[in-house]
Amino acid sequence: MCTIRASRVAALLTRLVTLLGLVALGVLGPATAHAQSSPGALATGLHISDGRLVEGNGNDFIMRGVNHAHTWYPGETQSLADVKALGANTVRVVLSNGHRWTKNSAADVAAVVSQCKANRLICVLEVHDTTGYGEDAAAGTLDQAADYWIGLKDVLVGEENYVIVNIGNEPWGNTDPAGWTAPTTAAIKKLRNAGFEHTIMVDAPNWGQDWQGVMRANAQSVYDADTTGNLIFSIHMYSVYDTAQEITDYLNAFVNAGLPILIGEFGGPPDQWGDPDEDTMMAAAQQLRLGYLAWSWSGNTDPILDLSIGFDPSRLSSWGQRIFNGANGIAQTSREATVFGGGNPGDTQAPTAPGTPTASAVTATSLTLAWTAATDNVGVTGYDVVRVSSGSETTVAASTTNTVAVTGLTADTTYTFAVYARDAAGNRSARSATVNVTTDEGGSTPGVGCSVGYRVVGEWPGGFQGEISIRNTGTTAISGWTLAFSFANGQTVTNMWGGTPTQNGGAVSVTPASYTSTIPAAGSVTVGFTGSKGATNTAPTTFRLNGSTCATT
C-alpha cells in the first residue's frame, strides 16, 4: 500500500472485467478444490491444520492487528507496544530487501522479532519491494525476496512459534497477472528447500486485490506445491471490494475449499476510486473466524489511512477508532496467542463485573470515564465501554485499563454508559451498572484556531490534483465543519475524497466525510480532489473554517 496507492486506479478502470474474468478463469468453488491435509508438516509452531492457522498446541489463532511501516520509520519502535496496548495480537511489519528502499539488516530484523515477542505480538514479516511487479518498473521479484529471507535464516530459525514469513507484498500489478502463479510457487519451493519451516504467507496479484481472480483460480495448485502444507493466502481489500457480495463471495470460496486465507491489508475510508465496505470485511472475518490486518498504523503519504495521527496512540483517527474500538474491531475480537500464555482454551470463567463508571473532564463533545477494575481467575485483558439507549447497546470505546476517553459526542446531550470486562480466553463479564452524563452546552464551532495547507499534487493539460490539509490549532476537538475558499482562475472541482464540495462560480464550500468530520485538538484531516483548469492555476489564498479565517501554511 503506502506510496503506491494511486497505481490501483488501473484496476478500477477495468472493473467490469472482474465478473467476466472470474468466470473465464474457473474460480474456486466448493466442488472444484479441496485442501489437502499435511501429515508431513514440518512446522512445530504456527502451522496450517484443516485449512486454518493454528498454534503449535493446535489452538486456533485468528490474527487481529495492523500493518506497521517499519522500513520507512525505523525509529518508531514504540509503535509495537502501542498497538498491543490497543488490543492487537499481530503486527505485519514492512521490511525492505534493499532493491527499492534501504535494506533492513539481519540485526534490525532480529530486533523487530524480539520487540514483537516482548510485546506478546505475533510477527508477520514482509518484503515490500515486490509491490506491483510487472507494472511498476521499480519493483523487485519474488525470487529476490526469497533470497533475502534465506539470508535471514539464522535470525528466523527457531522463531516458528512467533513469526510468519510473507514472501513479498502485492507481488504483481495489473499487467498479465496470470504471471503471478509460477514465481509464487517457485519462491515457496525455494524457501522450503532452504529449510524454512515457518508458515508462509503469499499475497495476491492485481496489487494484492486479485480482481481478476488469478490467485483464487490457482490457489489449490499453489497450496499443493508446498510440501509442508503450511501456506496461507492473503487478499488485500480496498476499493475493488465495495459491496458485501464481492467480499463474502471471495472469502467463502477459500473457506469452502478448505484453503487458509486472511485479509492481509484493508482500508475503509473512501477515496477517488471507490468506498471499500470495511464493515462487511470485518463482520465476515469475524463470522468465518479469519484474520485481518488493517492498513496502517501511521505515516502514510495518503493520511486518510493513518490509524493513529503522528504515531500517537492517544490520537486515533476515525479510521483508527473504527478498527480498534468499532463493531468487530480489534478490542472486541482479538485474543492473544497462547504461546504468550493468553487464550487458555480451558478458561471458561468470566471476569467479575467492573464497578460503576464515573465521568470527569466533561466537555461539549468528549468526556473521561473511570471505574473500579474487574477481577478474573487468570487476568483481565480489556474493557468495552457501551452506550445504552432504548434497551440496545453500542460499543463506543475500548481500553486495556480502567479509564478511557470517549469522544465524538454531541453538545448538551444526555448519554448512558456501562462497561464490560474481558479476559484473554474471550470470556466477557456481566455489565456494570450504568452512569448518565450530560455533555456541556456550546456545540462544536471553534473560534480562530485553524491552519490550512494547500498544495497541487500533480498537473496535466486541462486538469490537476490538489490536497488540502486542515489543522485544528485550538484546544478542543472540532466536530463537524465547513471550509470555504475561492479559486481565482476558473478552476472547478470535479471529484473529491475526504469531503463533499459545493461550488458556485469560483467559490467552493466543503463539508466533511464521516471519517474526517472530527478534527482532534492539535490534529488534522486531509481532503483530496481532482479539478479542471485553464492555463493558469493560482492557489487559493484565504480559507475560512466555520466562518473563522485560518492561517495558511
Side-chain angles (χ1 to χ4, degrees):
M1 192 59 186
C2 71
T3 59
I4 45 184
R5 181 178 174 84
S7 300
R8 303 182 193 280
V9 69
L12 296 174
L13 292 175
T14 49
R15 175 75 180 277
L16 291 178
V17 179
T18 304
L19 296 177
L20 297 175
L22 294 179
V23 173
L25 287 166
V27 298
L28 282 174
T32 62
H34 300 280
Q36 302 295 316
S37 60
S38 48
L42 296 174
T44 57
L46 289 161
H47 62 281
I48 303 300
S49 177
D50 295 326
R52 298 196 58 78
L53 178 66
V54 300
E55 295 189 70
N57 62 3
N59 192 59
D60 252 20
F61 182 69
I62 303 171
M63 284 184 260
R64 288 287 182 266
V66 305
N67 288 263
H68 172 53
H70 172 73
T71 198
W72 303 303
Y73 301 98
E76 297 292 343
T77 55
Q78 176 62 30
S79 295
L80 299 182
D82 292 337
V83 299
K84 176 62 177 181
L86 288 164
N89 64 19
T90 305
V91 63
R92 181 171 178 258
V93 180
V94 177
L95 300 175
S96 172
N97 65 352
H99 179 85
R100 186 169 185 177
W101 295 285
T102 302
K103 181 178 181 179
N104 294 97
S105 67
D108 182 48
V109 175
V112 167
V113 173
S114 177
Q115 290 160 3
C116 283
K117 291 166 67 176
N119 287 291
R120 303 163 75 90
L121 290 164
I122 295 302
C123 204
V124 178
L125 303 176
E126 60 102 342
V127 167
H128 215 78
D129 306 66
T130 57
T131 307
Y133 180 79
E135 185 173 347
D136 190 332
T141 67
L142 280 171
D143 186 66
Q144 291 168 330
D147 286 339
Y148 175 70
W149 295 120
I150 291 170
L152 293 174
K153 184 178 177 183
D154 289 346
V155 168
L156 299 179
V157 167
E159 303 293 350
E160 292 84 358
N161 276 307
Y162 309 97
V163 171
I164 293 172
V165 176
N166 188 179
I167 303 178
N169 181 70
E170 301 179 1
W172 210 275
N174 293 320
T175 302
D176 187 27
W180 167 90
T181 305
T184 298
T185 300
I188 294 165
K189 290 181 176 179
K190 192 169 192 175
L191 292 181
R192 293 305 184 207
N193 290 337
F196 277 77
E197 300 180 3
H198 304 71
T199 293
I200 290 175
M201 183 184 295
V202 293
D203 284 6
N206 295 129
W207 299 88
Q209 298 198 80
D210 200 30
W211 58 269
Q212 288 178 293
V214 171
M215 185 172 83
R216 184 173 168 179
N218 293 280
Q220 186 68 60
S221 64
V222 173
Y223 183 86
D224 290 343
D226 183 356
T227 55
T228 74
N230 294 312
L231 184 75
I232 188 167
F233 297 93
S234 174
I235 181 67
H236 292 183
M237 290 186 164
Y238 292 98
S239 304
V240 166
Y241 295 91
D242 57 1
T243 69
Q245 191 70 46
E246 291 166 319
I247 295 162
T248 56
D249 281 356
Y250 195 93
L251 297 177
N252 275 303
F254 281 78
V255 171
N256 292 338
L259 290 167
I261 190 168
L262 83 154
I263 306 174
E265 285 186 20
F266 68 106
D271 56 28
Q272 63 266 50
W273 303 301
D275 186 359
D277 184 359
E278 71 276 15
D279 291 339
T280 296
M281 296 176 201
M282 296 167 72
Q286 183 64 10
Q287 178 187 8
L288 297 171
R289 296 178 59 78
L290 304 178
Y292 67 64
L293 302 171
W295 186 276
S296 79
W297 178 238
S298 199
N300 288 281
T301 54
D302 188 351
I304 65 169
L305 287 172
D306 280 358
L307 296 162
S308 67
I309 299 168
F311 295 93
D312 185 349
S314 69
R315 298 169 60 203
L316 294 182
S317 65
S318 55
W319 174 227
Q321 290 287 359
R322 175 70 188 90
I323 289 298
F324 286 104
N325 301 325
N328 300 304
I330 287 173
Q332 286 186 6
T333 64
S334 176
R335 303 290 178 263
E336 187 177 85
T338 60
V339 71
F340 299 120
N344 182 357
D347 179 13
T348 59
Q349 182 175 325
T352 61
T356 305
T358 59
S360 62
V362 179
T363 72
T365 59
S366 65
L367 54 86
T368 297
L369 294 175
W371 55 89
T372 302
T375 60
D376 184 66
N377 63 317
V378 176
V380 174
T381 58
Y383 297 91
D384 300 321
V385 177
V386 296
R387 178 188 176 187
V388 182
S389 178
S390 302
S392 64
E393 297 179 353
T394 304
T395 300
V396 296
S399 176
T400 56
T401 65
N402 60 328
T403 184
V404 72
V406 181
T407 59
L409 305 178
T410 302
D412 197 22
T413 301
T414 299
Y415 293 89
T416 302
F417 297 105
V419 184
Y420 291 92
R422 292 177 278 105
D423 66 16
N427 301 307
R428 200 183 197 198
S429 73
R431 195 176 79 185
S432 73
T434 60
V435 61
N436 295 323
V437 189
T438 301
T439 53
D440 290 345
E441 298 178 358
S444 59
T445 301
V448 178
C450 54
S451 66
V452 172
Y454 177 96
R455 71 185 183 104
V456 173
V457 177
E459 291 189 78
W460 53 91
F464 71 107
Q465 180 177 338
E467 182 179 274
I468 305 169
S469 178
I470 309 166
R471 176 166 290 278
N472 177 4
T473 58
T475 57
T476 60
I478 300 171
S479 296
W481 48 266
T482 300
L483 180 73
F485 61 92
S486 294
F487 286 121
N489 308 121
Q491 301 98 318
T492 301
V493 175
T494 57
N495 186 36
M496 180 172 283
W497 51 100
T500 301
T502 301
Q503 186 163 352
N504 183 11
V508 181
S509 177
V510 180
T511 54
S514 60
Y515 60 92
T516 58
S517 62
T518 299
I519 312 178
S524 64
V525 297
T526 299
V527 174
F529 67 93
T530 55
S532 62
K533 69 176 184 67
T536 305
N537 187 20
T538 305
T541 56
T542 303
F543 297 86
R544 294 178 63 84
L545 189 70
N546 290 351
S548 296
T549 301
C550 300
T552 54
T553 58

